[in-house]
Amino acid sequence: MNDWHNFIGGKWVSGNSSINIENPATGEIFATIAKASLDDLEAAVTAARDCVNSRVLIDCKPAERSALLYRIATEIRGISQQGSELAVLENGKRLSDAQNEFNEAARYFEYYAGMADKIEGVSIPLGSDYIDYTVYEPFGISAQIVPWNFPVSICARSLAPALAAGNAVIVKSPELTPLAMTWIATACQRAGLPEGALSMLCGTGSDVGAALAAHKDINQIVFTGSVLTGRAILHAAAERAVPCVMELGGKSAAVVFADADLEQLMDSINWGIFFNAGQVCSAMSRLLVERSIYDQLVERIASFAKGLKIGPGIHNNDITPVMSAAQQKKVLHYCDEATQQGATLITGGKKPAGHKGYFVEPTVFGNVSPDADIFTQEVFGPVLAITAFDSEEQAWALANATDYGLVAGIFSTNINRCLRGTKLLKAGQVFVNEWYAGGIETPFGGTGLSGFGREKGQEALYSYVQTKNVAIKIR
Ligand code: NAD
């Protein structure tokens, strides 16, 4: 069995106790990781504070910080195969998707390496007696709390811009999937990141996670995870007025009009709800369909879902396991409840026979009422809820009828209608005719219960700096 360690102040540190890591495709424990204690957290905060006080990342030439980030990207590419195989074991995901995650992680470092030497303030004219300018300064210590569904890419998504801006970072890895992301710490170490600029701790949310969020020396919190935890972290942050980025859940809808290209739509449905077993914050978990094509489309989706191959991620199967026994139970509970709440089960809805791990059949529900829980709540599994609409106005209203607002999609060949929808849909990102269009270059984040602040793109860099204005009287 492999034993993994925490990365604290440039060193790998074992613990007094450990956390078992399970393979969701088999239910077997295959590794352990040191469970970070509150003393480990103190050590990480001290190392980060020393790094900030030394100003090693803040005062270096921006071009040097940029070069450091490029070196980290190269190191990530170098360990991507080992890391991806580990991600499949701990996360259950497809090998190809794990490889994409490492590739995306490297891209984040390259992208923000390109920005590290372009963090420019402005000069503000105040007349001949003054010189006034702004500078962007790092916050200091950025605490980053990561969820289990895409730990590698989400870790890189926040870490890369934070380092590009000159912050020191303490990452709290998810207790279910902490292993593959330790390779990001290894890449940073090999690339020569100064000691203390990154610590990575694995502990449970209720102890190390909560203590990190409430720590008096933390200057910023970046949280990606559930609404429930986000709320607890916001309470802790409020005590000390610490700025936060909140990347929370979603219940995103695709609106399909009768004139849509259905071939194109089927590919988006496949990625939108069945990729990573539907455990994606921006999953297409609701499909709103114009009534005239409802029966035809439901039949097509049912036959597509029935044809998907269920099995372990290492063989790149279509439907991989959900994360844990608890997640499987939760998803199946939503399915049972959906029928009781009047939805029609089209296909799936149960554990597939003959599989040892935590699999759930690709599931499609039709006639889902806007009052049903699978219409309003995040299921986080391969479960699609379909509802018919009769008018464009009703379509936008149904799409907006949840408390979330992460992403939304429109499928239509009528450009005017698509443009109207982009304005009326309540979401941080709107996809037109391709779910997950966009990339690391496009700002991402929510409205409503999906959170606030933006990750990805140039805009995200400014989540990691604060503006200082310098006003000088010259005579
Ligand atoms: P979660 O909220 O249970 O846990 C997320 C992280 O928070 C974990 O590291 C956990 O240990 C930690 N944590 C738990 N309790 C804590 C506390 N009291 N204080 C501090 N930290 C604590 O979420 P999850 O189940 O790991 O992830 C799934 C959720 O994440 C879904 O809701 C999904 O939509 C969301 N998510 C959002 C995005 C996004 O970018 N918006 C991306 C991925 C996942």
Side-chain angles (χ1 to χ4, degrees), residues 402-448:
T402 77
D403 294 331
Y404 290 103
L406 195 53
V407 302
I410 309 166
F411 289 80
S412 167
T413 47
N414 178 337
I415 184 69
N416 294 322
R417 179 150 56 197
C418 290
L419 290 175
R420 270 196 302 277
T422 61
K423 285 191 256 179
L424 297 175
L425 288 172
K426 219 176 47 171
Q429 188 171 30
V430 179
F431 305 128
V432 177
N433 290 329
E434 187 186 79
W435 201 262
Y436 299 136
I440 65 152
E441 304 85 352
T442 48
F444 179 79
T447 62

Side-chain angles (χ1 to χ4, degrees), residues 167-430:
N167 295 281
V169 178
I170 299 175
V171 175
K172 208 299 267 168
S173 56
E175 52 272 54
L176 292 173
T177 60
L179 304 184
M181 60 187 279
T182 60
W183 282 107
I184 302 275
T186 300
C188 289
Q189 188 182 28
R190 289 182 181 166
L193 186 72
E195 278 182 15
L198 169 65
S199 288
M200 195 178 281
L201 304 172
C202 181
T204 57
S206 54
D207 55 21
V208 160
L212 175 62
H215 200 287
K216 65 178 177 34
D217 283 347
I218 296 305
N219 305 112
Q220 182 211 23
I221 300 172
V222 182
F223 173 71
T224 308
S226 64
V227 173
L228 204 65
T229 310
R231 216 172 259 143
I233 290 173
L234 281 170
H235 279 293
E239 288 297 318
R240 294 165 299 106
V242 172
C244 294
V245 174
M246 285 281 139
E247 290 283 357
L248 309 178
K251 189 69 202 179
S252 305
V255 181
V256 183
F257 291 94
D259 62 3
D261 176 337
L262 296 189
E263 199 59 45
Q264 199 176 25
L265 172 71
M266 290 311 296
D267 187 54
S268 281
I269 291 175
N270 182 27
W271 280 100
I273 191 63
F274 298 127
F275 156 60
N276 213 41
Q279 301 166 117
V280 185
C281 54
S282 46
M284 180 206 283
S285 51
R286 292 183 297 145
L287 196 69
L288 308 174
V289 182
E290 192 160 7
R291 199 174 298 278
S292 61
I293 57 161
Y294 179 86
D295 290 339
Q296 168 204 348
L297 186 58
V298 166
E299 203 181 304
R300 194 164 170 175
I301 295 170
S303 114
F304 177 81
K306 285 178 191 156
L308 293 171
K309 196 152 185 277
I310 301 173
I314 196 69
H315 305 307
N316 286 325
N317 281 296
D318 301 317
I319 297 291
T320 51
V322 296
M323 187 61 241
S324 60
Q327 190 63 22
Q328 186 190 43
K329 193 171 160 202
K330 182 180 139 193
V331 174
L332 294 174
H333 176 71
Y334 271 113
C335 292
D336 291 345
E337 218 178 43
T339 11
Q340 287 159 29
Q341 293 177 351
T344 310
L345 178 63
I346 313 278
T347 184
K350 51 186 197 311
K351 280 186 210 178
H355 291 277
K356 228 170 119 193
Y358 307 126
F359 292 89
V360 174
E361 287 179 344
T363 300
V364 181
F365 282 99
N367 299 317
V368 177
S369 132
D371 303 326
D373 288 349
I374 56 162
F375 190 94
T376 55
Q377 295 178 23
E378 189 178 42
V379 174
F380 230 50
V383 179
L384 182 64
I386 312 181
T387 307
F389 66 82
D390 296 298
S391 68
E392 187 184 315
E393 202 181 17
Q394 189 194 9
W396 309 138
L398 282 170
N400 290 339
T402 77
D403 294 331
Y404 290 103
L406 195 53
V407 302
I410 309 166
F411 289 80
S412 167
T413 47
N414 178 337
I415 184 69
N416 294 322
R417 179 150 56 197
C418 290
L419 290 175
R420 270 196 302 277
T422 61
K423 285 191 256 179
L424 297 175
L425 288 172
K426 219 176 47 171
Q429 188 171 30
V430 179

